[in-house]
Amino acid sequence: MHHQELVTLEAGSPEELIDVLEKLTTKATRNCLYSALAISDPQFLIYPFNLKDTSTLEATKQTQNEIKEIYSLPMADIEYDIQIFRNEPNYISGICAAIPKKLLHRYLEILDKNKLVPLRIIPYTSAIVDYYFQKHKDPNKSFCIIDFSKKYTISLAVFKNDYCELLRQIPYEVLHGVIPEIIESLKNVCLMTDVKKLDHIYFAGTLEDKLDIIRDVEEAFEAKIERDHSIDVVTALSLDDYYFNINFARRYAFSPPERVRALYMTNLVLILSILFNIFLGFKIFHNSMKLKKLSFSYTLTDYDY
């Protein structure tokens, strides 16, 4: 799909999505049918899981139980998606994302009102991290991404051998107070997973006021520190390749290939219906001609006794 055919959006609430769409010009959307939406809503949950001595079924049940406890809702009222990165005999790792169905339906209603078909509805953090992963991926090293592109939000991720071992969205009000949480999260992933040691740490986004965080993280992990530019999430949504396949639009909209197949099947059924009607018409005409011919083969004398 051409990028000009896709509207990329980011919002932290349904009200913010309405504002974003109102600010878009008619020209920006009138030729677009499809949309991709990154949601930074605090109620949009995303977290990694690393489980030992369990099956895929048990891992799914465990994550569902955690989700129900967090939201205090039955699973019937929660939309969730799981991506498994590693599924080994004694180890399963992946990420889980969830959002209350009523909230998701609110976003869908807004897109529908604006005549936009959602191709992707994903967590903000996975969209941002995906961009930097594609840029820095290396199967021979472990690396961390700490992104400050969005104000009052940190996107944190750790990869090793192209596997995601940590993915978090950390909201904050006071920047200095979030430093211990970042360091603790990174220490835990090094202790609890196969990462053990970070080779590279990439800081991205607006970094002018983040020098204390960069210094403290560098001292804690003695990794190679690199700085990257800020990225707009709407640009990240335009990627052609994705590492994360979490997508909450999957159950609510047809993708372009699915629409093409549906259109093909509709046209096929229509053609078959037309051919069948032609066949029936021919049969009726043929039978009427036989009846007419049969009636002409009799004369009145044939009925005289």
Side-chain angles (χ1 to χ4, degrees), residues 32 49-50 68 70-71 94 101 158 160-161 185 189-190 210 234 256 263 268 270 293:
C32 297
F49 58 87
N50 300 277
K68 288 190 293 184
I70 291 170
Y71 286 119
K101 280 188 177 179
V158 173
K160 182 178 181 181
N161 300 330
S185 292
V189 77
C190 289
K210 313 297 190 308
V234 297
L263 182 61
L268 180 60
L270 181 61
K293 186 178 179 181

Side-chain angles (χ1 to χ4, degrees), residues 198-268:
L198 295 171
D199 299 318
H200 288 74
I201 298 178
Y202 299 99
F203 285 89
T206 306
L207 301 177
E208 290 78 8
D209 58 342
K210 313 297 190 308
L211 299 181
D212 289 344
I213 293 180
I214 295 174
R215 184 190 64 248
D216 289 351
V217 171
E218 183 177 16
E219 290 177 356
F221 296 96
E222 299 180 351
K224 183 178 180 180
I225 303 294
E226 294 187 32
R227 301 185 188 186
D228 209 332
H229 64 280
S230 180
I231 181 68
D232 192 332
V233 69
V234 297
T235 302
L237 286 169
S238 300
L239 290 173
D240 293 321
D241 297 318
Y242 310 114
Y243 175 78
F244 299 107
N245 62 26
I246 294 288
N247 184 6
F248 285 79
R250 190 179 293 121
R251 300 174 187 173
Y252 292 91
F254 289 116
S255 68
E258 288 172 334
R259 285 175 173 265
V260 170
R261 288 193 293 270
L263 182 61
Y264 172 80
M265 291 301 298
T266 301
N267 289 336
L268 180 60

